[in-house]
Amino acid sequence: MTTHVTIIGAGLGGLTLARVLHVHGIPATVYEAEPSPTARSQGGMLDIHDYNGQLAVRAAGLMDEFHGIVLEGRQAVRGLDREGNVLFEEADDGTGGRPEVQRGELRQLLLDSLPAGTVRWGHKVSGVRGLGGGRHEVTFADGGTVLTNLLVGADGAWSRVRPVLSPARPVYAGTSFVETYLFDADTRHPAAAKAVGGGSMFAGDQGKRQIGAQREKGGTLHVYAMLSEPLEWFGGIDFTDPAAAAARVAEAFDDWAPELTALITDSDTAPVLRPLYTLPVGHRWDRVPGATLVGDAAHLIPPNGEGANLAMLDGAELGEALGAHPGDIETALSAYEQAMFPRSAEQLATAEDPDNPTLEDVINFFAREEQTS
């Protein structure tokens, strides 16, 4: 196969696709809006499951490198009530199928596995249009363009590629996270660190309020305060004033144990609002010659521990389909989509309801208990 693959987005799905294509000897270029791989934080920890994400890592030929970035002990999980009492606890005995890694380290692993120049940084897409015959033109914010016979949108929730395949747009799921970080927590925030434990922690009251935290490298606690409120409620908070914003969010948890509210008020970073969006259950499109989507661009689901895993599996399966059908792009894209559509629909249909999560629901979000397909 000599067709050059154009990938929009250097997230985990797009990079996995580029790597698997490289394994199969298929050239690809990834265009990414960010100016460099270190332009922003890449988020927290991910559990990479043995039934989807690890299959993608294996297809990419990177299992040894993957094992080298696993954080031992981080599969431990506990659930607390709002008074800080432990309701549920599971140790990391090393036998689980969902090892934890830092998202940034996993992304860098994939970047390092690609030939130099594969990723073109600082290329923000402003528009995409079909030219007929499976050809597409991609326009960048700087006025540059690229023509391609095979375009893959791996550009996330607000994909610029999606409109050439589907009119669907993300809608607010009714819940938002407010993200904070506590650094050197065992020394500087000992009560909060003790409450979180050695892995992931969730505290909730089976209502509209939850707090989750993950222990990352170097004693860092990555915290998510989750509130089921309309966007207008969050619009009333001045996030340009970090202390005031943290205090306002903490007010929603004013009857909670101080070691839990400290995860918000003692943040060493400005709190960041992360609204949750979703695409319709069963989102799919008719076959459009020369184009397809992977990851959140194709199936944006509420948090259930599967998003990154599914994006990587999408990328790997698309790469393998293209490798299995050299010279026949449409057969490859059809085979990929026929497997991807029902898989993503099942995950979205079974994802926890973000408008009314129970304690068990969100413990499962952080515990990522193994599922069967």
Side-chain angles (χ1 to χ4, degrees), residues 209 249-256 261:
R209 306 173 297 171
V249 173
E251 285 179 9
F253 301 88
D254 62 358
D255 55 345
W256 286 41
T261 56

Side-chain angles (χ1 to χ4, degrees), residues 91-253:
D92 181 0
D93 62 4
T95 64
R98 46 180 181 82
E100 297 276 356
V101 299
Q102 297 275 166
R103 180 187 285 267
E105 293 186 1
L106 180 56
R107 188 195 197 205
Q108 191 60 51
L109 185 159
L110 290 166
L111 286 169
D112 291 343
S113 75
L114 297 173
T118 298
V119 180
R120 308 287 177 86
W121 303 98
H123 282 72
K124 183 177 181 179
V125 175
S126 59
V128 179
R129 67 186 183 105
L131 302 176
R135 299 173 69 244
H136 290 84
E137 179 187 68
V138 180
T139 302
F140 300 102
D142 64 2
T145 62
V146 63
L147 302 179
T148 180
N149 292 318
L150 181 44
L151 176 64
V152 180
D155 48 344
W158 305 103
S159 171
R160 293 285 190 170
V161 179
R162 188 191 300 122
V164 305
L165 295 122
S166 164
R169 289 182 58 81
V171 296
Y172 181 53
T175 296
S176 293
F177 289 149
V178 176
E179 180 183 41
T180 64
Y181 284 88
L182 278 66
F183 301 134
D184 194 17
D186 293 302
T187 300
R188 300 178 58 245
H189 310 284
K194 182 178 179 181
V196 172
S200 296
M201 178 279 293
F202 170 75
D205 59 4
Q206 300 192 26
K208 298 170 66 175
R209 306 173 297 171
Q210 294 81 34
I211 298 176
Q214 295 175 310
R215 181 177 288 271
E216 299 184 356
K217 279 188 172 180
T220 294
L221 301 182
H222 190 174
V223 181
Y224 310 85
M226 186 167 117
L227 291 166
S228 296
E229 299 286 358
L231 287 174
E232 293 77 13
W233 188 89
F234 295 98
I237 300 175
D238 181 7
F239 281 93
T240 66
D241 184 339
R248 178 66 184 89
V249 173
E251 285 179 9
F253 301 88

Side-chain angles (χ1 to χ4, degrees), residues 11-53:
L12 297 180
L15 294 176
T16 301
L17 169 58
R19 169 61 186 181
V20 174
L21 290 173
H22 176 63
V23 169
H24 286 278
I26 301 171
T29 301
V30 182
Y31 294 93
E32 169 56 47
E34 293 175 2
S36 76
T38 59
R40 66 174 178 87
S41 169
Q42 292 302 308
M45 293 199 305
L46 298 171
D47 56 319
I48 304 302
H49 304 155
D50 54 9
Y51 54 86
N52 47 24

